[in-house]
Structures are given as C-alpha cells and as structure tokens.
Amino acid sequence: MKIIILGAGQVGGTLAEHLANEQNDIIVVDTDGSKLRALQDRLDIGTVAGGASHPNTLFKAGAEDADMLIAVTNSDEINMMACQVAHTLFNTPTKISRVRSPNYLAHQEQLFNRDHVPVDVIIGPEQLVTKNIEQLIANPGALQVLDFAEGRVQLVAVRAYHGGPIVGHELQEIRTHMPKVDTRVAAIFRQDRPIIPEGDTVVEVDDEVFFIAARENIRAVMSELRRVDKPYKRVMIAGGGNIGATLAQSIESKYQVKVIEQSYKRCRILSERLRHTIVLNGSASEPQLLAQENIEANDVFCALTNNDESNIMMSMLAKRMGAKKVITLITNPAYAELVGDEIDIAISPQQITIGSLLTHVRKGDISNVHSLRRGAAEAIEVTAHGDPHSSKVVGRRLDEITLPDGVTIGAIVRGEEVLIAHSHVVVETDDHVILFLVDQRKINAVEKLFAVGFGFF
Amino acid sequence: MQPLASLLTPERTACQLPGLSKKRLFESIARIISDDQFSLSYDEVFAHFIAREKLGSTGLGDGIAIPHCRIGNCSQPTGALLTLSEPIDFDSPDNQPVDLVFALLVPEDEPQQHLDTLAGLARLFSQAGFCEGLRNARDQATLFRLAIEAEAVAP
C-alpha cells in the first residue's frame, strides 16, 4: 500500500517504522527537514518537507496514487484540512486524522463525514489513554486490559505470583479448579522471552501471562495467577490536564478521586466541571502535600502531567511514601524501558495510538489492533468472511487451521456469544476471531490467512 | 459461461492506459463504468471496488486481475476491460505487477450465477494466447473485437 504519513513526531515516526517493514510505500511529510532526515537515515521511506495540508506538498508526496493518508501532525486543524484537501483534490480512499481537542470530539458524528469534514477515522489519543487507565483501575493487579468485540472479550496481562493456585502447575488444571470458567492463555513471557502455552505448560513465578476470557470471568482467572487485590477505592491523579480531567470525570462516581493540579486557574475550571472530585492546588512532587493528603491510604496514584520526568519522579515519590500502585504516563520510549519496579504500570500514549491506527492500516476486516510489549507483539480482532471455498478459515475446525508460528487464536465472538478457542470450534462466516501474535512480524501471514480468495464477491 | 459480448461494450474498453497505481486504476474503472451507466455513481463504484480489495486481492497471477464486487444499483452484470501501458503493483498471489484487468460489477441477487460468470472469466483469462492478444492490441477497437471474439472455455 502507498501510505502518506503527515507529521514526523513520535506517533508518525513510530508508525512509519512499523509500516516500512511491511512491504508498504511510506512517505512522511513534515515541516522540519532535520526530523525527516533522521527518519530516512534508519528507515526505507520517502520524505517530503512542507506544510502538511498544502495541496502542492500532498501532490509532491504522491497523493494522487496514495491508498491512505494518516494525519498526525501536532495541529488538529492541519490534520483536518489535510484530509479535506486529500478528499477534494486527490480522492484519497482512506483518511485518518488525529484530533486531540475535546471541543471537536464532542461533535464528532456531525462534523466528520463525507459531506462535511471528510475524515474516515478519527483517532483521539487522550480518549484512548483515559479508557486504558480506567480499565486498569477497574481490574486491580492487571498490567494491561484490552477490549475486543465491544468489551465482551478482554485480553489481560498479569504477572504470576506465589500463592496463585495455578502457579507451579500445568495450565490445564485451571479447568479442574474452575469448571464453569472458560479461558485461554494466549502467551506467556518468561524473562521477556515468549512461550507458546500448551495444556501441560507449567506457570512459573514472575511469568507475564496474557489470557483471554469473557469480561465477567476476568477476575476469576486472575485469582488463579495471583492473590487478587481488593477493588480499588481511592484514586489520586497528578495533573489536571486533558487526560487527568477526563479520567477523573469518568471515574468520580465509582471511586473517591483527588486531582492535584499546579495551575490555580486550571483548578478553578476543574472544580466547576467535576462533581465529586476533590481538586487540590499544588505540586504532586511536594512530599508535604502527598503526606497531608494521606498518600499511603490511596490505592492508585496516576501521574498524568505532560512532563515525563515529573511523572516518573512524582510516581517514585508517591510509591516510596506508601501509594499501593502507581500508573505513570511516559511518552519517551527510552524512559519507559528504563523505569523499573518503582513504577507498576507505564502507559505509553504512542503505543496505544499506534494500535488504534494499525486497525485501519491492516488488510482485511479488522476491528481492533492492540500493539503490545513496545510493538514486538500484537493482538488483533479480525472478522472472517467468505465460505469454505473462498476462505481458508471459514468452515474449518480450529485444529484444522494452520497458524503461523507464534500465533494463537484466543477466542471467537459470534454475535453476542463468546466462544473460547478450543480445537473443536468451527469458524463461521462473520465470526470475530481474536488472535495473539508474540511476534508482530507474522502479521502478513495472518493477513493472508484471513484474506478472502478470488471467488469471494 | 456468458460470452464477453454480453458483459462488455466498446465504451467500457480502454487500451494501454497509463496504470500509475492501484488507486488510479480503480479511479479509471469507476470513471469508465459510471460514464457509461447512469445508475452507477463514480464514488459508489470506486468505494465498492476498494472495499472488496481490502478483504483480499483479486489478482489472478501472471499480470492479470479480475476485480469484482456486488453493487445494489446495478441492473445486470457489467464489465470493463483495461490494458495498462505500465504494469502496477496489485498484491497478487505471485507478486507479479498487473497490466491486464477485467473489472466486473454484479447485482446483489443470483449469487450462484455470478460465481459461474466469475469462474468463466478466470478460465478465459488463464489462456496465455488470449491474454497475449489483448496485451498486444494497440487501439480500443482491436481490443474490444479480440475480447468479444473469444470463445467461452468449458470448465
């Protein structure tokens, strides 16, 4: 595919990196020539320097031939305008735009359609990040909680601890422990190396286990792997920006929420907007403030300012002062690799955004892509189309489908019904199939497997 | 097999078009079909072909593609034949670029009949001599004549 990426920032750059390895023609556009050169030094891509929404820049980038435009510059307005130009002048089939401002997003459905602002897919990173953190707060002890099929099925990452009934035992014993709960362990990472689990795989302490189950069974399965934390009650949020405020708003009816924000002006806005949240004016890197607000009584401390260094330092401080769990927003991937045990969960907005973008770039009818383990692994939800003649999966039992190495099918969602992947399940047309790839480079083989054959109308 | 004569008109035949890219090929196809069939709009035809192609390539291999899709406003199976002066990348199973294209639009009904039509086309276009002739045609009239003169191939 020919894809034009507008903006060579962190998301644009990481996306180019992902896609350049997948037999695509990638052109990256940015006003900053030095950013483009840096990208071009390490990736096999084309670049064009210029204003991303200008018709002549898009023309130079090959918009006449492009299959897709992905607008991820820092400006919402430039992103939208670029989509408009691509639509009107170049008839670009798929236009994806990042839009940050909640002001635009509030009118998403009216604004963004063919007859108005022609953007096919809107990516709102702040919304995605907020949702992600919300899930983590709702599932104490999980390292990651990802939705498939509108949340009917979830993929959960959890670290195995001493005391989990299944730890030290074979996976197949889960069934005898919990005959009524169905789950599938999709992958295990042991000292960062992936293991494709079989029924006789023994779970070890410190394994990072990815399992798939219907939402209502998540807690039960987690309890097999570790002592389950009590549901969280008190949440402290550092940073009342976009993400902090949206998170507070969406969870304040279920939890006791405190937001710490440095700007007095912003505090006033927040206290008007939030109904049950306590808004504190101050800095979360002040030990006195944390002590005064009983940091040790908090179940979760979320560092969500727009400064990585502050987020990391205040998280470490909060943890040392007794916060039970810290969730930290870290945009710099190098920092995310550096931080150790002091930080329980590092949230990377780019990685979350990339997954959401990849959903639309991948071939086939894909409803969800989650990029995992810093992009090395991937979980996807793909709809099977066709009949036994035109498809390589429809009409086949799962044990008759030859999956690429390192790829497992975790579950199938058929309408409202959730079927955990067992060898006898037969794939039907329109099934949503949820797959886990321990190696993201297998994606082409998975796309090919699910591609409909020539005879599909 | 329905002979090509019933699927094709001279207006829906284009000889030695500059191919340029997959996207522009589908623009050409949409233009040719919508100019000839008033019930079908350019945007609709373009979007339908793109959507079908996203689910899996309609490349046959050996430089041939038969993109096809269903469309509601289509009253009867409608074809368009194009040869390209420069082959274009098409994600074909053999990774060969494509320079010979037969696009087929069919109505929503009669699935089995359309499958037969498609299978007939695939058989026809798997004959090397036939394809060679089409590729060598230098004008629209010759291309059209060669296409409709072709005999149906038995399964």
Side-chain angles (χ1 to χ4, degrees):
Chain A
M1 256 200 302
K2 288 178 201 281
I3 303 172
I4 301 178
I5 299 174
L6 306 178
Q10 287 200 347
V11 167
T14 317
L15 190 65
E17 194 171 344
H18 263 265
L19 299 177
N21 301 332
E22 293 175 26
Q23 300 179 332
N24 294 302
D25 255 340
I26 307 294
I27 306 281
V28 180
V29 175
D30 201 291
T31 43
D32 183 345
S34 61
K35 271 192 193 164
L36 294 174
R37 277 189 296 280
L39 270 184
Q40 216 165 10
D41 280 345
R42 54 190 185 92
L43 300 174
D44 177 20
I45 55 166
T47 59
V48 173
S53 57
H54 293 168
N56 67 340
T57 310
L58 289 173
F59 179 80
K60 265 192 253 166
E64 284 182 303
D65 295 309
D67 300 294
M68 188 178 289
L69 181 87
I70 302 175
V72 286
T73 74
N74 281 328
S75 150
D76 283 355
E77 290 75 16
I78 289 180
N79 292 342
M80 289 185 225
M81 194 59 210
C83 289
Q84 178 71 64
V85 171
H87 174 75
T88 310
L89 299 183
F90 302 111
N91 189 36
T92 307
T94 310
K95 300 160 293 291
I96 302 174
S97 171
R98 175 170 61 186
V99 175
R100 283 219 173 95
S101 165
N103 257 311
Y104 292 123
L105 294 172
H107 305 282
Q108 193 166 340
E109 276 165 30
Q110 288 154 279
L111 281 176
F112 302 109
N113 60 53
R114 277 190 79 83
D115 300 328
H116 300 287
V117 186
V119 183
D120 302 301
V121 185
I122 294 280
I123 305 282
E126 276 81 5
Q127 288 179 317
L128 296 170
V129 169
T130 308
K131 178 114 198 298
N132 200 287
I133 300 174
E134 219 183 303
Q135 299 270 33
L136 290 169
I137 294 174
N139 293 279
L143 298 172
Q144 234 160 3
V145 181
L146 304 165
D147 272 353
F148 291 98
E150 277 109 42
R152 280 194 273 279
V153 176
Q154 289 180 321
L155 170 71
V156 176
V158 62
R159 194 165 299 284
Y161 280 110
H162 275 299
I166 198 70
V167 178
H169 296 268
E170 293 182 359
L171 280 175
Q172 57 201 4
E173 288 179 39
I174 292 188
R175 249 193 126 59
T176 47
H177 295 183
M178 301 185 298
K180 284 193 186 137
V181 171
D182 208 357
T183 184
R184 168 107 188 170
V185 174
I188 294 176
F189 288 84
R190 186 168 295 164
Q191 282 146 8
D192 279 336
R193 299 179 71 92
I195 296 173
I196 300 298
E198 306 283 343
D200 59 0
T201 305
V202 174
V203 181
E204 291 182 9
V205 170
D206 238 20
D207 279 357
E208 189 179 336
V209 180
F210 282 85
F211 69 87
I212 290 174
R215 181 172 39 193
E216 57 272 22
N217 292 333
I218 295 297
R219 201 175 151 77
V221 181
M222 273 180 64
S223 69
E224 281 289 308
L225 292 154
R226 54 179 295 143
R227 182 182 44 76
V228 175
D229 303 4
K230 282 202 205 98
Y232 295 149
K233 284 203 192 100
R234 294 183 190 83
V235 180
M236 189 179 274
I237 298 172
N242 232 332
I243 297 178
T246 319
L247 178 66
Q249 193 164 37
S250 60
I251 64 172
E252 64 178 355
S253 55
K254 286 173 269 174
Y255 305 88
Q256 295 174 31
V257 185
K258 287 180 184 170
V259 174
I260 303 176
E261 165 60 42
Q262 251 180 328
S263 141
Y264 178 72
K265 215 174 127 201
R266 179 72 185 166
C267 282
R268 297 210 38 162
I269 299 173
L270 289 176
S271 49
E272 278 163 29
R273 232 176 84 187
L274 300 168
R275 288 167 177 275
H276 309 289
T277 302
I278 298 170
V279 180
L280 303 163
N281 186 208
S283 162
S285 43
E286 276 302 325
Q288 281 131 315
L289 179 63
L290 293 182
Q292 206 181 327
E293 294 304 326
N294 288 330
I295 180 72
E296 72 283 357
N298 279 280
D299 299 303
V300 198
F301 176 87
C302 303
L304 307 177
T305 74
N306 56 11
N307 182 313
D308 277 2
E309 289 85 353
S310 305
N311 286 344
I312 294 172
M313 296 316 286
M314 62 178 68
S315 295
M316 289 167 73
L317 181 66
K319 184 84 182 189
R320 193 156 299 176
M321 292 182 67
K324 295 192 187 80
K325 190 130 286 183
V326 298
I327 297 178
T328 311
L329 194 69
I330 304 180
T331 50
N332 184 339
Y335 288 173
E337 298 231 9
L338 268 180
V339 298
D341 289 343
E342 310 92 335
I343 283 167
D344 295 292
I345 303 174
I347 301 272
S348 155
Q350 298 97 284
Q351 192 157 30
I352 294 171
T353 309
I354 296 277
S356 171
L357 287 166
L358 289 176
T359 305
H360 306 282
V361 179
R362 298 270 181 253
K363 290 189 203 89
D365 185 358
I366 308 244
S367 356
N368 274 298
V369 173
H370 295 295
S371 182
L372 304 164
R373 298 189 62 85
R374 300 183 201 103
E378 210 164 274
I380 67 170
E381 172 183 343
V382 50
T383 306
H385 285 288
D387 56 35
H389 296 292
S390 59
S391 162
K392 293 191 267 296
V393 291
V394 173
R396 315 286 196 281
R397 285 164 53 111
L398 291 185
D399 55 4
E400 292 169 346
I401 298 171
T402 318
L403 291 168
D405 286 343
V407 178
T408 43
I409 294 182
I412 286 173
V413 179
R414 186 172 295 159
E416 298 288 312
E417 198 187 354
V418 174
L419 305 163
I420 295 300
H422 294 296
S423 53
H424 62 271
V425 175
V426 176
V427 180
E428 293 179 8
T429 191
D430 295 335
D431 277 359
H432 286 231
V433 183
I434 293 143
L435 298 107
F436 192 98
L437 291 72
V438 296
D439 179 0
Q440 172 269 337
R441 286 169 298 184
K442 292 290 193 307
I443 189 69
N444 282 342
V446 173
E447 284 175 346
K448 283 217 169 74
L449 181 66
F450 278 84
V452 294
F454 177 75
F456 177 81
F457 260 101
Chain B
M1 146 90 194
Q2 206 168 6
L4 281 189
S6 68
L7 295 172
L8 211 55
T9 63
E11 290 72 28
R12 296 200 302 269
T13 309
C15 188
Q16 298 292 317
L17 276 189
L20 301 168
S21 62
K22 199 168 181 173
K23 178 224 169 200
R24 280 209 252 188
L25 169 68
F26 284 117
E27 287 180 336
S28 302
I29 293 172
R31 176 79 56 217
I32 289 171
I33 293 178
S34 62
D35 279 355
D36 186 61
Q37 298 278 310
F38 296 116
S39 64
L40 298 170
S41 81
Y42 172 86
D43 286 343
E44 196 183 12
V45 174
F46 181 71
H48 275 74
F49 274 115
I50 294 280
R52 166 61 183 84
E53 216 60 37
K54 189 171 193 285
L55 297 179
S57 174
T58 54
L60 271 187
D62 293 325
I64 299 154
I66 309 187
H68 51 274
C69 59
R70 286 174 206 282
I71 195 161
N73 300 341
C74 177
S75 51
Q76 57 180 3
T78 304
L81 175 65
L82 302 87
T83 60
L84 307 178
S85 53
E86 288 291 329
I88 58 163
D89 199 15
F90 206 83
D91 266 327
S92 289
D94 62 355
N95 287 323
Q96 292 291 316
V98 159
D99 65 348
L100 181 56
V101 180
F102 192 94
L104 177 68
L105 278 180
V106 299
E108 299 276 3
D109 60 351
E110 309 255 19
Q112 190 52 47
Q113 195 189 323
H114 301 325
L115 276 176
D116 294 343
T117 308
L118 186 64
L121 284 171
R123 282 196 299 276
L124 187 60
F125 280 86
S126 62
Q127 292 177 289
F130 172 65
C131 297
E132 190 65 29
L134 298 183
R135 285 186 168 112
N136 288 335
R138 282 292 161 264
D139 57 68
Q140 190 184 8
T142 317
L143 181 62
F144 179 68
R145 182 176 52 77
L146 286 172
I148 60 166
E149 277 172 3
E151 306 254 336
V153 188

